[in-house]
Amino acid sequence: MVYDLAIVGAGPTGLHAAKWSAKKGLKVILIEKRKDISKVTRYCSEHIILDEGYNGDTVKIDIEKGKIISTANGYEVDYKGGLCPVTDKYYYSPSRHAIHFAWPDKRPFAYKYDKGELLRGLLEECLKLGVTFQNETTAYDGKDSPEGVELKCVSKGKKFRLSAKKLIICDGCNTRMGQAMGFNRDRGYMGFALCEAFYMSGVKDYNPSEWKGWWGRVYGSNLAPLMGTGPAGHFEEWADVIMLGSPKDMPEKVFEFFTQKSPLAFMFESAKVEEKYSCTVKAFTPLKTPSRGNVLVVGDSAAFIEVQAQGGLSCGFRAAEAIAKELNGEKGFAEYTNWWLKSFEFNSEGMMRVTQGYALIPTYEDDEVDYLFSLCEGVTLPGTWSQYNSPKYMWDTILRDPEKIKRERPAVFEKIKKVRSMSLGESI
Amino acid sequence: MVKMKINGKVVKAEEGQSVLDTAKANGILIPTLCSQDALKPYGACRLCIVEIAKNGRTTVETSCTYPAEEGLEVKTDTPRILEGRKMVIELLLARCPSVPSIKKLAQEYGIKDCPPQIKKENDECILCGLCVRACNEVVKAGAIQFAKSGLYKIVDSPFHRTAEDCIACGACVFICPTGVIKKKDEQQTPSGPKRLIENWQVEHKLRECKKCGNPFAPEPHLEKVRQEKNLPGEFFNLCQSCRQYPVVDEDKCLGCGGCMENCPLGAMELDDKGGYDKKAHLYTQNCTACHSCEPICPVQAIS
């Protein structure tokens, strides 16, 4: 049987693409490696970000009606699961100078949500619309020809093939299919990060509406350990403690150091690990032309850093439109590419801002980080979750008076100048 | 399915299957030198000739290139055919008097007198073209081809110089029925182990296994396969005997799926044991033991 559209990956992107394609009357097959998508086992931070214009969209949440509303792309998604507002974000230096992000009226700038619940709801809608849901199946390779796409799949060790006229690849940042079909060939590869998250009860100073990060070697990692809101159902009791690492610097080891030997060990004296999650993130530079032949690569699969659930939903929505147009002989993919390049900030200088903005360790020594953070003390920066705005606001504040830094810490000033003048290749 | 007769016996054949393959499948032997299952039929050696009767007309055809058809009547051992084959063998013998497989055929067909010899280069090559076809069709390197014509026809590298497209895989050496193509793996050279293929004037470094240190395959060969199959950079670090299937420690595994998202062959899957309890599971039938999943695991559950 030849489907109109095959979608690889039933995340927010894939499900949303399947839903809107099915609404347009297409025969859709959705391929997913897991059996039950509502039980999320791969860790992700699970926030809906309310920043204005974030990824080319401003998302609103209607708590009473249980809806996530996209104002720019014009869709609504039902969501009736738990929500926990995030109102404050702190970055700490080794001797606890803080950079504080918050709105003056304490309105939330992000919501922690329940990803499993969102996916479950979307899948239910998809099934009602007649989408074929092929779970426990991994698509690992494919071949594109003018007649259509042939996918190689495997399920419980048995290999088989599927055919479809069009294909949407949205299997996440590690994009197995994107790699197999050659989309990663022109992308810069920046290596991979390992992440482990610990949901912990009994953490001292835990506040569900705060998100914290600690920068400095004293905390045991080049990548800041983070702490945020726990999972839905346990917002009040469990803290989400996130460790990033690499094969040389395993997150488990960083966690041990952070909770037992770092200056923050006191917070974890009576804490207990309730649940553990992990993930591997391969970082590639964004895909500039996310389509070729009959294939469209969307969501995290084509991205530089996570597009987040809302970015995924938008990608899915737009991809469904693009596919419908392509099947009608119109130029849907070109339209999608335009939207993709325009909307996502990492496709422009936003990407540089992220790589350079967070490159604090090991560029700066601990006392230098202290100095830089002390320059931001007493200022409350606008509430933001965005990966582009956070470093921008932070560095704008630090560099309010560059002459002062030049006078007081010439060495630090030189380092800043060097980092700022780096090209992407060098910063990788 | 079509029905036809070979030597009076009614046999069934798939449509499109060659007469040679049909005979082989039914235990009827037709001698051949240039046919190989992995390659397309070529019809070069002419040994597989048979008499084919169709619509009351009988012709002599090479069975490897003739497709099976409904109602064909094939005879593989008529005097006319045996005489024809004998002629082919005599000509081959005149060209390559010292090749064992030709000598054996000559004996089988009762050729006693050695025909006058033809002096020429490569006098062990029977021009079956297996090496050229394997290089083009299977390896897809296209490094060698026929050169010159008539009496002087040989298989050669371009312009009789180093074959630049040769990856030293050795497929030509393996497939050659007369052993005229020779490869030599030299372990001790100043620049490490090397493979030489004299006929094509090629010399390539052999990759050494990261574990046992034994050289196991030429670098350009591994690199070509790796790129064609889109495999990770470290895929061919280990030799075949040092490759062991990775083992998943289920107590450590958190079921994040990182390993399966990175497995180039879909060998790693998630076993759903209900609820939160998901574990990575390796289906070894699909695994090539490349171990690209090992460093990807955030909790070191794969070893």
Side-chain angles (χ1 to χ4, degrees), chain A residues 92-156:
Chain A
Y92 292 104
S93 75
S95 41
R96 242 69 54 73
H97 290 291
I99 298 178
H100 182 197
F101 297 85
W103 290 116
D105 57 356
K106 289 278 169 193
R107 68 170 193 269
F109 50 82
Y111 276 102
K112 174 96 177 181
Y113 73 105
D114 183 349
K115 190 177 178 186
E117 183 60 30
L118 176 75
L119 298 184
R120 198 190 54 73
L122 278 172
L123 178 62
E124 226 165 66
E125 284 185 65
C126 284
L127 293 177
K128 263 186 219 155
L129 289 164
V131 172
T132 312
F133 182 52
Q134 178 96 26
N135 59 350
E136 286 189 284
T137 300
T138 309
Y140 66 96
D141 203 352
K143 209 174 133 194
D144 186 19
S145 62
E147 295 86 52
V149 187
E150 193 185 48
L151 291 176
K152 290 185 190 170
C153 302
V154 60
S155 176
K156 301 269 157 219

Side-chain angles (χ1 to χ4, degrees), chain A residues 190-211:
Chain A
M190 288 175 265
F192 61 89
L194 303 177
C195 165
E196 196 171 359
F198 302 81
Y199 288 136
M200 298 176 84
S201 59
V203 178
K204 217 184 246 176
D205 289 351
Y206 165 61
N207 184 341
S209 62
E210 286 174 2
W211 180 266

Side-chain angles (χ1 to χ4, degrees), chain B residues 217-228:
Chain B
E219 292 279 354
H221 182 198
L222 296 176
E223 195 47 31
K224 185 173 161 72
V225 176
R226 194 186 70 74
Q227 280 181 7
E228 253 169 32

Side-chain angles (χ1 to χ4, degrees), chain A residues 315-360:
Chain A
C315 282
F317 180 71
R318 293 278 175 171
E321 256 173 31
I323 293 285
K325 281 195 177 159
E326 284 285 325
L327 286 171
N328 273 337
E330 292 167 60
K331 291 207 163 84
F333 286 172
E335 221 167 83
Y336 177 87
T337 307
N338 274 341
W339 171 80
W340 164 255
L341 292 178
K342 209 173 66 211
S343 301
F344 287 85
E345 302 190 29
F346 47 68
N347 285 321
S348 54
E349 32 80 79
M351 184 163 82
M352 287 300 292
R353 228 188 269 159
V354 177
T355 52
Q356 295 183 351
Y358 289 128
L360 287 167

Side-chain angles (χ1 to χ4, degrees), chain A residues 33 41 156 174 276 280 282, chain B residues 255-256 261-262 269 276 296:
Chain A
K33 65 179 183 239
T41 51
K156 301 269 157 219
N174 293 327
K276 285 199 276 188
T280 306
K282 267 190 179 173
Chain B
C256 74
E261 283 162 9
N262 286 286
E269 294 182 54
Y276 167 59
I296 241 85

Side-chain angles (χ1 to χ4, degrees), chain A residues 43-55:
Chain A
Y43 179 75
C44 71
S45 71
E46 298 171 5
H47 287 79
I48 288 166
I49 296 154
L50 307 179
D51 279 48
E52 221 164 284
Y54 174 68
N55 282 347

